[in-house]
C-alpha cells in the first residue's frame, strides 16, 4: 500500500491570536469570573476569551467556584462513572528524536523491543485476566519490515485473543500521523479512538524538541485528524505534553484545534489527554521541563477543559500518582488507565530490570486496587464499550451526549460492566466495596434508568456477559 504524503498547512493554529487573547485577559475582575462561571454551568462551553480570563484567576475563593462549576458539569453530563483502560505497548523502536522520550532513536540507554504476535497475544491475555476490556495500543514510529501492517496485525491479534470468558472489546490506538489511505486501513481494523498528541502547538518549541525524523513536520502532525476524519475515523483524541511550553498557550491552541474540527467535520475530539512530562531514561529534557506545570495549575487546566468543552472526555493516565489522580476525578476526568506498563512486554515481564519503558509511571497500583479505590470514593468503575460497538461515534455520539442522554445509557452500562468485573476478576474485598456501590447506585437512579440498570445487573448475575443498551 502506498502512502501519499501531501502538504497540508495547519493555518487554524494562530499564534498571534492566542497571544492577543492572553494579553487582553491579564486582569480579571471577580464579577467577570462569576459571569463566565454562570455561563459555564449552562454546559454550552466557553470561548477562548472566557477561557483566558479564567486562566488568570488565582483567587482561592473564585478558584473554588470554578471547581464547583466543573463538578456540576461533570456530574450532569457524565455522572460518577470512570471508564478504565490499559495501554498496550507493542514496540519501542522509533526513527524520531523527541528530546523528552526514552524511545527516541539515538537513545543508547534504552533496550529495544518489538513484540511478535505471540508476545502481543500474551500481553493481551494478561490484561484480559486482570479484567480489562479496553486497551490503548501504543507504538514508537518505526515499524518492522512489514511496515504499518505490523500495527494492523497487532490490532487483529488483540481482538482475536481470548482468555476464559474474557476478551478485549475496544482497541484504541496512539500511533504516529498517517496518510488518508493508512487511516482507512486503521478504520477497517476496527479501532475505537485514534489518538495523537501534538506535544506542543508552539512552532518554535516544536522545532526545538523534535530534532530528527518525520515527526519534525509540525503541519503533518497537526493536520492528522483532518486526514483521519476524511478516512472516516470520527472518534479522535487530542492532547499536548504539558511541560514543553506555556500551558496557557497550549490550552488555547487546543481550543483552536477543537473549533477547526467542529467547523470542518461537525464534530470535535472525542477525548482530550493531559500528559505531563515525566522522567524518561536517557532523555534529559524529561527530567527538567522548561515549562513545568504545578499541581495547582494542573487542576485548573482540568477544570477549565471540563467547563470549556463539556462533551469531550478527559483522560488521566498513570503518569500521575494516585493522590493527584484522585483529586482530578471530580473536576472532570472521565477515563483513567490502571495497572499500566509503558514498556513492550511489561505485563508479562514486570520488573525485569531492563530499561525499555517510555517514561516513569506515577501510579503503580494494580487494576484491582484502582477499582477498589475508585469505588470507595463513590465513582462507578466502568468497562463499558457499548457506544463504539453500536456505532454511536463521532457526531452521533455528540448528538446523544449533548442533551445529557449519555448518562441514561452509560449509567446502567457502567453498572453491568462493573458487575461483570466484580464477579469474574475482583478480589473479595474489592467485590464487597463494588457491590455496595452498585446497590447504592441502583437505589438512587431515576426510575426509568433504574429499571434498565436493575435488569442489566441481574442478567450479569445470572451469568450473562456483555450486557448493554
Ligand atoms: N510515537 C507516537 C507519537 O509520538 O505520536 C505514538 C506513541 S508515543 C509513545 C505517545 C505519547 O507519549 C507521545 O505523544 C507523548 O506525548 C508521550 N510522551 C513521550 N515522552 C513522554 C514523557 N517523558 N513523559 C510523559 N509523556 C511522554
Ligand atoms: Fe518516538 Fe513517539 Fe517517543 Fe517521539 S514520542 S521518540 S515519536 S515514541
Amino acid at each position: 500500500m502506498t502512502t501519499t504524503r501531501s502538504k497540508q498547512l495547519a493555518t487554524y493554529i494562530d499564534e498571534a491570536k492566542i497571544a492577543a487573547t492572553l494579553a487582553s485577559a491579564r486582569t480579571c475582575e471577580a464579577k467577570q469570573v462569576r459571569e463566565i462561571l454562570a455561563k459555564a454551568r449552562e454546559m454550552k462551553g466557553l470561548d477562548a476569551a472566557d477561557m483566558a480570563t479564567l486562566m488568570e484567576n488565582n483567587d482561592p475563593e473564585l478558584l473554588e467556584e470554578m471547581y464547583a462549576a466543573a463538578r456540576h458539569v461533570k456530574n450532569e453530563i457524565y455522572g460518577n462513572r470512570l471508564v478504565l483502560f490499559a495501554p498496550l505497548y507493542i514496540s519501542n523502536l522509533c526513527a524520531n528524536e523527541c528530546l523528552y522520550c526514552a524511545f527516541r532513536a539515538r537513545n543508547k540507554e534504552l533496550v529495544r523491543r518489538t513484540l511478535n504476535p505471540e508476545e502481543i497475544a500474551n500481553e493481551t491475555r494478561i490484561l484480559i485476566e486482570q479484567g480489562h476490556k479496553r486497551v490503548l495500543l501504543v507504538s514508537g514510529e518505526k515499524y518492522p519490515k512489514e511496515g504499518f501492517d505490523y500495527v494492523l496485525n497487532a490490532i487483529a491479534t488483540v481482538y482475536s485473543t481470548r482468555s476464559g470468558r474474557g476478551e478485549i472489546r475496544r482497541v484504541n490506538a496512539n500511533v504516529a500521523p498517517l496518510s488518508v489511505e493508512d487511516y482507512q486501513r486503521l478504520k477497517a481494523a476496527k479501532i475505537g479512538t485514534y489518538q495523537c498528541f501534538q506535544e506542543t502547538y508552539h512552532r518554535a518549541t516544536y522545532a526545538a524538541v523534535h530534532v530528527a525524523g518525520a515527526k519534525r513536520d509540525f503541519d503533518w502532525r497537526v493536520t492528522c485528524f483532518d486526514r483521519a476524519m476524511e478516512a472516516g475515523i470520527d472518534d479522535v483524541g487530542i492532547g499536548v505534553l504539558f511541560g514543553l511550553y506555556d500551558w496557557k498557550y497550549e490550552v488555547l491552541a487546543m481550543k483552536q484545534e477543537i473549533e477547526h474540527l467542529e467547523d470542518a467535520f461537525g464534530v470535535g475530539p472525542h477525548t482530550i489527554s493531559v500528559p505531563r512530562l515525566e522522567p524518561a531514561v536517557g532523555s534529559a529534557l524529561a527530567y527538567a521541563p522548561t515549562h513545568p506545570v504545578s499541581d495547582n495549575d494542573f487542576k485548573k487546566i482540568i477544570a477549565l477543559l471540563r467547563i470549556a468543552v463539556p462533551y469531550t472526555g478527559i483522560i488521566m493516565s498513570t503518569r500521575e500518582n494516585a493522590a493527584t489522580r484522585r483529586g482530578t476525578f471530580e473536576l472532570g476526568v472521565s477515563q483513567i488507565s490502571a495497572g499500566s506498563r509503558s514498556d513492550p512486554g511489561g505485563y508479562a515481564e514486570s520488573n525485569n530490570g531492563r530499561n525499555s519503558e517510555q517514561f516513569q509511571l506515577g501510579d503503580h497500583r494494580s487494576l484491582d486496587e484502582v477499582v477498589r479505590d475508585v469505588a470507595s470514593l463513590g465513582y462507578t468503575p466502568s468497562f463499558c464499550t457499548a457506544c463504539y460497538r453500536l456505532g454511536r461515534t463521532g457526531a452521533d455520539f455528540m448528538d446523544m451526549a449533548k442533551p445529557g442522554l449519555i448518562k441514561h445509557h452509560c449509567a446502567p452500562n457502567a453498572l453491568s460492566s462493573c458487575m461483570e468485573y466484580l464477579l469474574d476478576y475482583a478480589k473479595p474485598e474489592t467485590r464487597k466495596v463494588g457491590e455496595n456501590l452498585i446497590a447504592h447506585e441502583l437505589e438512587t437512579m431515576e426510575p426509568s434508568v433504574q429499571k434498565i440498570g436493575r435488569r442489566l445487573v441481574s442478567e450479569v448475575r445470572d451469568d450473562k456477559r456483555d450486557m448493554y443498551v
Side-chain angles (χ1 to χ4, degrees), residues 94 96-98 100-101 103-104 139-141 199 215 358:
C94 195
N96 294 317
E97 188 62 13
C98 310
Y100 45 80
C101 177
F103 293 177
R104 66 189 175 80
S139 173
E141 191 175 357
E199 324 298 11
K215 192 163 166 181
Q358 195 198 4

Side-chain angles (χ1 to χ4, degrees), residues 51-82:
M51 290 170 74
T53 302
L54 294 183
M55 286 175 188
E56 294 305 322
N57 169 45
N58 290 311
D59 177 275
E61 198 180 318
L62 291 173
L63 273 177
E64 268 319 310
E65 289 177 33
M66 175 161 131
Y67 297 151
R71 279 194 287 271
H72 170 77
V73 172
K74 151 110 197 213
N75 201 42
E76 281 299 306
I77 296 176
Y78 297 88
N80 65 348
R81 291 169 306 111
L82 278 176

Side-chain angles (χ1 to χ4, degrees), residues 28-46:
C28 73
E29 305 282 326
K31 183 168 168 282
Q32 200 186 357
V33 170
R34 291 201 168 105
E35 277 167 13
I36 297 171
L37 293 179
K39 210 190 300 176
R41 283 176 174 267
E42 291 168 20
M43 295 182 290
K44 296 197 180 90
L46 297 176

Side-chain angles (χ1 to χ4, degrees), residues 279-294:
V281 81
S283 300
L285 181 59
Y287 291 89
T290 47
H291 293 78
V293 172
S294 69

Side-chain angles (χ1 to χ4, degrees), residues 89 94 96 98 100-103 138-141 174-177 195-199 215 221 240-241 275-280 286 319 358-359:
Y89 281 73
C94 195
N96 294 317
C98 310
Y100 45 80
C101 177
F103 293 177
V138 187
S139 173
E141 191 175 357
N174 185 327
V175 292
Q195 222 181 50
C196 184
F197 305 155
Q198 182 55 30
E199 324 298 11
K215 192 163 166 181
R221 195 165 180 94
V240 294
L241 187 50
R276 276 196 292 188
L277 205 49
E278 297 298 331
R319 288 174 180 84
Q358 195 198 4
F359 46 77

